Amino acid sequence: MSSNKKQSIFTTGRINSTLRKFLHSEASGGLLLMAVAAVGLAVANSPFAPTYFSLMKSYIGPLSVQHWVNDALMAIFFLMVGLEIKREMLDGQLSSWPRRILPGVAALGGMMMPAAIYVFFNINDPAATRGWAIPTATDIAFALGVLSLLGPRVPVTLKVFLTALAIIDDLGAVVIIALFYTADINLWALAGAALVFLNLCLFSRIKVVALWPYLMLGAVLWFFVLKSGVHATIAGVLLALTVPIKLTPGTPEANQDVSPLHKLEHALHRPVSFIVIPIFGFVNAGVSFSGLSPSVILEPLTLGIGLGLVLGKLIGVLGSVFLLVKAGIVEMPGSASWAQTFGVSLLCGIGFTMSLFVALLAFDDPVMQDRAKLGILAGSIIAGIAGYFILRFAPRRQGRQYADVIE
C-alpha cells in the first residue's frame, strides 16, 4: 500500500455537523452520568441507604425496579446503540473496510487484553471467571465527557477515533451478551421472538417508512425475548437492525436526513443520554462500603477488573494502533501525537455503563456484584483521571492537519 493511500480516516475536514452535534451531546451526557453515579454512590453510603436498596428491590408488576431499569429501560439504550452501529456501518465512519481497520483492530485488542488480565487473576475460581467480559467494555458517554473538559487540546480526529472504537466495542458487547450470558432457553418464546423479527424484516423489505409499526412490534419482540431466556436488551438491537436507513428511492423525502433510522436515532438520543443512562447509573452505581476493608480492592475479582480496565485497555488499544502504524498499514489519526493517543487509550478504560451491565449478568451473588462494582469504579476512575492529565499536558503533533481518506 503506497504512502499516499494509507488510511488516516479521522480527518477534521470531513467531519460533518451531525457528528459534531453527536459528540457534543454525548459529552454532556457523560458529565451528567458522572454526577448521577457519584450521587448514587453517596446515597448508598448515607443514612438513606436502607431506603435506596429497598426501593431497588421493590416490585412494580412482574419485575423489580432494578429489573425494569436493567431489562426495559436499557433495551431503549441498546436500540439506540443498534441504530448507531447500523448507521455507522452503512453510511458513516465505518462504512468501508478501510475505515474500519484502525478502530476495529484497536477495539478487538482493547477487548482481548482486559479479558486476558482478568482471567489471569481469576483462573482458579470458576464462578469468578464467568465475569471475564466485564472489563472489555468502553463507556463512550464517560470517555467523551472527559474529552469535553479538555476542549481543543484534543484533536477532533481522536474524538472520532474514540467514537468509532466505542461503537465497535458496543457491537462486541452485544455479541458477548447474546452468546455467553444467556439463561435457559424457552423455545416457544424464542420462536415467538423469531416470528416477530421476521415480520419486522418484512416491513423493512417492503419499505414501510412509518416508525409506529416498528415500535409496536418492537415492544412485542421485547416481551418474547424477555421470556425466552436471551437477555431482553437484545430485542433493542434486533429492532434497530430492521429500521430502514433510507426511504424508497425517487420519493421527495428520499434522503438520509429524514430516513426512519435517522429520525428515530435523533428522537432517542437526548432521552437516552439524559434520562435512561443517568437512571441506570444511579440505580446500579450504589455500592455500600459498610463492612468492607481496604484489602477488598486487592482481591482477585476486584483487582482483575480494575487492572483489566486500566492496563488491559491501554495495552490492547495503544498496542494495536502502534503495530498498525509501524507496519505501514494505516497512518496516525490526523493531528494526533503518540502522547495524545496514549491518553485516549487510557480513557478507553472507563467502562462504567456496559461493564456494570455485564457484571449484573455475570454474577447472581450480591457480594460478587459489589466486588465487581468496586473494580469497575476504581478502574474507571483511575483510567479517567490518568487519561485526563496525560491529554491535558501532552504535546500536540506538528505538521499536517488533514489526511487523505480511502473511499
Side-chain angles (χ1 to χ4, degrees):
M1 183 179 292
S2 62
S3 60
N4 64 336
K5 287 192 176 182
K6 292 176 186 175
Q7 40 221 335
S8 180
I9 66 173
F10 307 101
T11 60
T12 305
R14 291 179 182 255
I15 311 257
N16 57 37
S17 59
T18 300
L19 184 55
R20 290 183 183 276
K21 291 177 182 178
F22 168 80
L23 295 175
H24 176 74
S25 179
E26 281 293 316
S28 301
L31 295 176
L32 176 61
L33 179 57
M34 292 180 196
V36 170
V39 171
L41 191 61
V43 171
N45 292 278
S46 74
F48 300 102
T51 303
Y52 171 83
F53 289 111
S54 176
L55 176 63
M56 297 305 106
K57 295 177 182 178
S58 61
Y59 273 72
I60 301 176
L63 301 176
S64 68
V65 170
Q66 187 171 38
H67 278 99
W68 275 116
V69 171
N70 294 343
D71 291 355
L73 273 185
M74 286 300 284
I76 301 174
F77 166 75
F78 274 80
L79 170 59
M80 194 183 79
V81 167
L83 293 171
E84 290 176 349
I85 291 171
K86 182 174 180 178
R87 173 176 54 78
E88 291 294 338
M89 295 291 286
L90 296 179
D91 187 47
Q93 292 297 324
L94 304 174
S95 59
S96 64
W97 282 110
R99 293 185 173 195
R100 298 167 189 162
I101 291 177
L102 184 59
V105 174
L108 182 62
M111 297 179 76
M112 293 175 61
M113 284 304 301
I117 289 175
Y118 178 87
V119 171
F120 173 80
F121 280 96
N122 294 276
I123 189 66
N124 295 319
D125 186 346
T129 305
R130 181 170 164 78
W132 63 270
I134 296 172
T136 63
T138 294
D139 192 309
I140 186 173
F142 254 122
L144 290 176
V146 174
L147 284 183
S148 73
L149 301 175
L150 294 159
R153 291 185 179 88
V154 180
V156 175
T157 54
L158 275 183
K159 296 179 183 179
V160 179
F161 166 72
L162 178 60
T163 302
L165 184 152
I167 289 171
I168 297 173
D169 192 283
D170 283 343
L171 177 59
V174 169
V175 173
I176 287 171
I177 290 170
L179 294 179
F180 298 100
Y181 295 106
T182 294
D184 295 334
I185 297 297
N186 181 324
L187 293 179
W188 287 107
L190 192 63
L195 181 61
V196 176
F197 181 66
L198 288 175
N199 276 275
L200 286 165
C201 292
L202 178 62
F203 284 172
S204 182
R205 180 73 176 176
I206 64 177
K207 307 298 183 182
V208 174
V209 297
L211 284 172
W212 66 266
Y214 294 95
L215 297 179
M216 289 184 64
L217 276 185
V220 178
L221 177 65
W222 175 85
F223 173 79
F224 278 118
V225 174
L226 175 69
K227 295 298 183 181
S228 72
V230 178
H231 199 272
T233 51
I234 299 300
V237 179
L238 293 176
L239 173 59
L241 296 178
T242 66
V243 178
I245 193 172
K246 293 180 181 179
L247 299 179
T248 305
T251 62
E253 302 94 3
N255 61 75
Q256 297 171 359
D257 293 333
V258 294
S259 73
L261 185 145
H262 285 79
K263 286 195 291 187
L264 182 57
E265 184 183 1
H266 179 75
L268 289 177
H269 200 258
R270 288 189 180 277
V272 168
S273 296
F274 297 105
I275 299 176
V276 173
I277 295 302
I279 289 176
F280 174 83
F282 179 77
V283 168
N284 292 287
V287 180
S288 176
F289 298 134
S290 176
L292 295 180
S293 65
S295 62
V296 170
I297 200 69
L298 298 179
E299 292 183 3
L301 193 156
T302 312
L303 191 62
I305 292 173
L307 290 180
L309 287 171
V310 179
L311 294 182
K313 282 290 186 181
L314 174 63
I315 296 171
V317 174
L318 185 63
S320 298
V321 174
F322 179 83
L323 290 175
L324 287 174
V325 171
K326 293 304 179 183
I329 299 173
V330 301
E331 290 184 346
M332 287 283 287
S335 307
S337 66
W338 278 110
Q340 289 172 324
T341 307
F342 182 93
V344 167
S345 299
L346 273 171
L347 292 186
C348 291
I350 303 176
F352 187 80
T353 303
M354 196 68 80
S355 291
L356 281 177
F357 190 78
V358 174
L360 296 172
L361 298 179
F363 304 129
D364 294 324
D365 184 354
V367 174
M368 297 183 76
Q369 288 182 356
D370 284 348
R371 298 296 192 271
K373 289 179 181 180
L374 285 175
I376 293 166
L377 290 172
S380 297
I381 290 171
I382 292 171
I385 292 175
Y388 171 83
F389 279 105
I390 287 175
L391 289 168
R392 174 69 176 79
F393 298 105
R396 304 183 189 186
R397 180 180 176 185
Q398 302 298 319
R400 184 177 58 167
Q401 299 297 306
Y402 301 93
D404 295 330
V405 178
I406 293 183
E407 297 296 343

